[in-house]
Amino acid sequence: MLYLIIFLPLLAGTVLTGWSGSRPTAQQSSQTAWLAAAVTAASFALLLVQLPAVLGGEVLQTFTPWVPEIGLNLGLRLDGLALMFALLITGIGLLIILYAHFYLGVDDPVGKFYSTLMLFMAAMLGIVLSDNLLLLVVFWELTSISSFLLVGYWSHRADARAGARMALAITGGGGLAMLGGFVLLGQIAGTYELSQMLDQGARIQADPRYPAALLLILVGAFTKSAQFPFHFWLPQAMAAPTPVSAYLHSATMVKAGIFLLMRLTPVIGGSELFMTIVSSAGLATVAFAAFIALFKHDLKGLLAYSTVSHLGLITFLIGLGSPLAAVAAVFHILNHASFKAALFMSAGIIDHETGTRDMRRLGGLWHAMPWTATLAMTAAAAMAGVPLFNGFLSKEMFLTEAVQFAQAGGWRWLVPALATLAALCSVAYSARLVHDVFFNGPSRDLPPDAHPHDPPLGMRLPVMLLAAVCVLVGVLPALTLGPLVQVAATAMLGHAPPDYTLAIWHGFNLPLLLSALALAAGAALYFWLARGGRLHRLSSEKWFGALTGLNLFTRGMDRLFGGAGRITALLETASLQRYIAWMVIATLAVAVAPLLAAGAPGTGARTLLPASFPALVLWALLLLACAWLALRHHQRFESVVVTGVVGLVTALTFVSFSAPDLALTQLTVEVVSTVLLLMGLALLPRQSPRESSRARRLRDAVLALAGGGGMAWLAWVMLTRDHDSISWYFLNHSAIAGGGTNVVNVILVDFRGYDTFGEITVLGIAAIGVLALMDGMRTRRPAHDDAGRPWTFAAQPLMLRVAARVVLPLALVVTLYIFMRGHNLPGGGFIAGLITAVALVLQYMALGQPRAEALLHAGGGRRFVRWIGIGLGIAGLTGLGAFVFGQPFLTSAHGHPHVPVLGELPLATAALFDLGVYITVVGATLLTLSTLGAVTRESSPVAHPVGDKS
């Protein structure tokens, strides 16, 4: 059940919305939004099903090993804290999807938007539900990547691209620091499972590695939740579409760091170091950001800084370390999510209708947009902490905890003073938002096509629901959110908090007085600054000069890239010879250094076998080929063909060791790679120029002899010594554990299946990389070669075309035979894919590329890209299928069912994985072939005959 909550948006949501939104029509746009909403609603419903159990104090857990050797497992945990965040992620996500359907324009790619949103939602759900720290890191970085795509959704805008890069740099860098902290934490605790770590807080904090782990984890949390001094990335991310800002910056991404602090409070919280750093950073953030927000003229900029301020408020409460401060932090997370999402969506409506977010140009929209004005004023009142709205209650709790902290006297009274100042500024910027936008005279300098009016019901309905929550919680807090706050605070603390009351009235006390002072002084401050338009002429951008976080980050990045450029200019001399020379020198130095200290070993005591005559012939052939290459390597085409001798010798060596499947793989690889290399070299001159001096050739010869001699010596040392082989393990377990007697194939698709999956992924990426680099590249066909002999581009020979027609069906039959027998006899998906690729390469040679691709319906290579995707998808889904049965990734199942007529059949799920390998190999080979061939396809020979000077 818990897995399904994440996998619904991760798999079903991303795939379905990406497919549905690929066609830019109004009907498809609506269908895509409904699909996204249905998937989100399903996850939300699954959480609601678990609500009674969690409210009753149960902790739901599930566990599946993934990579247990490094401590990475698929462990999920649903307690009160995880449930609260998961309900926010899916509940507000559902409202955002409805809002985005009306917000996005006809030219906006909805498939890209909703599929990325689904990916982000799944990543956030993964963070809050993870019971394994390493799994949490995986989802954490996935939020960084998906948020990068969402912030940069309008990629045609420079500010969107810059904001996305900055957000990725800051949060991604923080994630790497957090990973280091998690590794230290796991080493201290002896586990990465949170459920086993939560009761080890005292032992962990007594370890000398605790301060380093704490600092690294706090860097990750502070960067994600935009805490000072890492706050500056969040305002830059406001270039994103408003649905993105409303979702990421109210209830999800910026709350991830807050969640991390809450989740790890029993583990790393409570120490003096933790409380000092976290509360100080939170207090500085809440006061500084609230003050800056007042002077922001961009509506979303104001909301961005107010978000930073409220995140600081929550961080400060977490850092105080008291149980009631934890209750206040949990309560304000819920309140902030409701009124801030409503305000962001209101800002989007205003921008959508007026064409601007500049509050100096807006004004008087109350008459044109009464619904929007009423909803925005409701949410702004909650943000300001006006009584009878939810923000008032959590602000009271915030001030109460600040006053409680100051009871010790002395400098501690600065804390409630700064807290009151932040509350005062929040009232001021809330008043500015309402007054500047909806009152304060008519709008000025709006775009000519702007005709402000209230949006359709579907666009304002999410705002209405959230505004109603602000009022309902403000009036009935204990009835509406009381049980959820209780279980979330209990999960955060590790024990139940002391008795408390969520109520509007707690009597006359100092926090109430400070709250009233903040309301009155905040309103007075705003209207004093706004008198005569003075506030519109002030700009906080100029106050700090070059010391703003944005400027420091920009200058630091510029210097970093400048330094990297200077180092690159020193190292990258555009000489492959020099690069390889330094690599060989470094390798020799590393290899020789320990030998000089300990002495070089010589020949071992193992009894050697006599060299047979065929072996001597092969060695002689290999030496001749290598000598030819050393002397004639400038002849590019001939060098490629002669290089194949090395592959041939390798294949014959495999045959001599009774490894026919390896020999067949080597031969087919040689054929395919030779064809592709020849096609690539056809774009270059046949002969490479002689550029090396005699001294350089002498240096290269010395390095080559040293490197080759070193490898030969190392091989001799190893082969003349007895060693313990692990082959017995695979021989004994191949049939039992892998269900096959072909040990090589079982290793590839079962024992080392994860390696094979990585290899075919790299193969697919390489082929798509060739397409990306060479797509659209064209070169002229030569009229004659270097010797003056004319090239011909006539039709292919008849004999070749006839032979190709016969070979293809025979090759496909052989392919099927090789594939089906591969698990028990020499063969398999990789060999079968190469055989198919060779047969299809022959079709290209016989028919020509246009005709061959027309018969294959290649679509300019697009079909081959899909083949790569399908192959990787089949292989990946086969691995994921093991999770359904509680087994690690790529664990195979096998059996021998009896089938009528056919009898007993040996079947293994590894065959499905092998099918994915087969399809990926064929697709990658043909995509590379198609791309290289297309370079000359549309060109025509333009050259004069030899001797013609006209």
Side-chain angles (χ1 to χ4, degrees), residues 728-743 746-747 750-751 823-824 891-896 906-910:
W728 64 269
Y729 175 84
F730 297 110
L731 291 170
N732 292 339
H733 292 82
S734 175
I736 299 173
T741 55
N742 180 6
V743 179
V746 173
I747 291 174
D750 193 320
F751 293 124
H823 209 54
N824 292 286
T891 301
S892 64
H894 54 87
H896 295 75
L907 297 178
T909 56

Side-chain angles (χ1 to χ4, degrees), residues 638-650:
E638 291 86 345
S639 297
V640 171
V641 175
V642 175
T643 303
V645 173
V646 179
L648 176 62
V649 172
T650 304

